[in-house]
Amino acid sequence: MNAEKIMEGLSRFAFATASLVLMALSFALVVYGVVEVASVGISSWKDAGGTVLSAIGYVVIAMAVFDVAKYFVEEEVIRGREMRLASEARRSLTKFISTIAIAVFIEALVMVFRQGQQDVGLILYPVAVLITAILIILGLGGYQRLSASVEGEVDAKDRAQDKVDEKNGAGRKK
């Protein structure tokens, strides 16, 4: 076994381990949010609004963390570092960034509602988070726009190389 294969195996193991830890932590956040709401429900519903908003924030963060872990599993553990078409990479990145942007938008909205109930003077931070989410979406749109023209050219070359590899019996490197 050569050093490259050993490093690839170690890399996949590290990504798999990190993904499992992230998934466990995301589930822990969801459980924590549910326990918080249940404990407020048992004691007094008077303070339930803030607790429910906090629980929503925990669940949103948990979704984003879980999606990062899922991305690691799909892209680094299952697929490894195999070559892919540019369109596949763009779709994968778009899906990942979209999930993160949605999580940031929801968290910002939760923060706006929370600050609206407490101190409206502190609304600037939630607004900054909303602006950040908008910039993420604009950046993703810019990336897609710039990569669309290059994608057709690169994909055509990749497909042509795949046909040559198939004829020679090499196939894609996995």
Side-chain angles (χ1 to χ4, degrees):
M1 204 175 206
N2 62 19
E4 187 177 318
K5 291 279 187 190
I6 291 171
M7 285 308 296
E8 184 178 333
L10 284 173
S11 175
R12 285 184 179 200
F13 176 75
F15 274 107
T17 303
S19 296
L20 289 174
V21 169
L22 286 173
M23 287 177 181
L25 290 173
S26 70
F27 284 127
L29 271 176
V30 172
V31 169
Y32 181 77
V34 169
V35 168
E36 287 252 321
V37 170
S39 68
V40 167
I42 291 171
S43 63
S44 167
W45 278 101
K46 190 175 186 178
D47 301 324
T51 304
V52 170
L53 283 175
S54 292
I56 290 169
Y58 292 140
V59 171
V60 167
I61 292 168
M63 285 175 14
V65 169
F66 188 85
D67 195 59
V68 168
K70 186 180 85 157
Y71 178 82
F72 284 159
V73 168
E74 290 173 349
E75 299 301 320
E76 297 295 335
V77 177
I78 296 172
R79 287 186 164 183
R81 302 206 184 276
E82 77 180 42
M83 287 184 74
R84 298 178 301 171
L85 297 174
S87 58
E88 279 184 66
R90 185 179 55 81
R91 278 192 299 271
S92 178
L93 184 63
T94 299
K95 181 180 168 189
F96 176 70
I97 296 296
S98 296
T99 303
I100 299 301
I102 289 168
V104 173
F105 271 119
I106 293 172
E107 182 63 23
L109 289 173
V110 167
M111 291 167 60
V112 165
F113 290 130
R114 191 178 301 140
Q115 289 305 324
Q117 292 175 349
Q118 294 173 0
D119 184 5
V120 179
L122 297 175
I123 202 87
L124 290 177
Y125 179 66
V127 169
V129 175
L130 276 171
I131 291 170
T132 301
I134 291 167
L135 290 173
I136 290 170
I137 293 296
L138 289 174
L140 180 61
Y143 165 75
Q144 288 188 332
R145 177 79 168 128
L146 293 172
S147 66
S149 60
V150 174
E151 184 179 300
E153 194 176 302
V154 171
D155 279 352
K157 288 180 184 176
D158 286 346
R159 286 191 179 106
Q161 184 62 43
D162 281 348
K163 287 181 182 180
V164 169
D165 289 345
E166 284 176 15
K167 280 185 180 180
N168 296 334
R172 278 200 182 267
K173 190 177 182 181
K174 293 187 178 181

